[in-house]
Amino acid sequence: MLLDTSGLLCYLHRDESSHEKARQLVNESSQRLLTHGYVLAELVALALIRRLPRAKALEFVVDLVDNPDIETIWVDEQLHRDAMQLLVDRQDKGYSLCDAVSFV
């Protein structure tokens, strides 16, 4: 299961409308849990915009990276270039670079 930015924010932040559902999906998942570095960067920015305490957001991201049950893919130059090419090829879509990395 891909742990994306909005899903992780819902997991972290009790005031999000899907908080309980996000916690249930992650905690009860028997699937491999996967995320990537751009999701983590986007999550920190989104958490701060939503006015979560900085320390709480950073602690959560560190815990994700340290969690042996979650695989974090680190975006290297080739993955970044492949994602950029997807954006160039699909300009009719509203994908972010973070989305494109997830798709690639």
Side-chain angles (χ1 to χ4, degrees):
M1 172 184 350
L2 175 67
L3 302 176
D4 70 355
T5 307
S6 58
L8 286 171
L9 184 71
C10 287
Y11 186 95
L12 171 64
H13 191 26
R14 290 184 193 159
D15 293 342
E16 293 294 321
S17 62
S18 297
H19 173 73
E20 287 304 320
K21 184 66 173 176
R23 292 188 70 84
Q24 178 186 12
L25 285 171
V26 171
N27 293 338
E28 295 177 5
S29 177
S30 61
Q31 298 176 333
R32 184 173 129 205
L33 301 176
L34 176 72
T35 195
H36 59 80
Y38 286 11
V39 165
L40 301 177
E42 195 175 67
L43 176 61
V44 170
L46 183 58
L48 296 177
I49 288 169
R50 297 281 177 91
R51 302 195 184 277
L52 269 73
R54 182 179 184 86
K56 181 178 179 180
L58 294 174
E59 179 182 357
F60 182 70
V61 169
V62 169
D63 287 347
L64 286 172
V65 171
D66 290 343
N67 188 327
D69 296 325
I70 299 172
E71 181 180 355
T72 302
I73 304 296
W74 299 107
V75 180
D76 61 10
E77 181 180 355
Q78 189 59 54
L79 181 52
H80 178 89
R81 287 180 178 276
D82 291 346
M84 289 298 299
Q85 189 60 54
L86 178 66
L87 293 177
V88 169
D89 292 345
R90 307 265 171 87
Q91 292 189 37
D92 61 320
K93 307 295 183 201
Y95 306 148
S96 70
L97 179 56
C98 185
D99 292 337
V101 168
S102 297
F103 299 152
V104 171

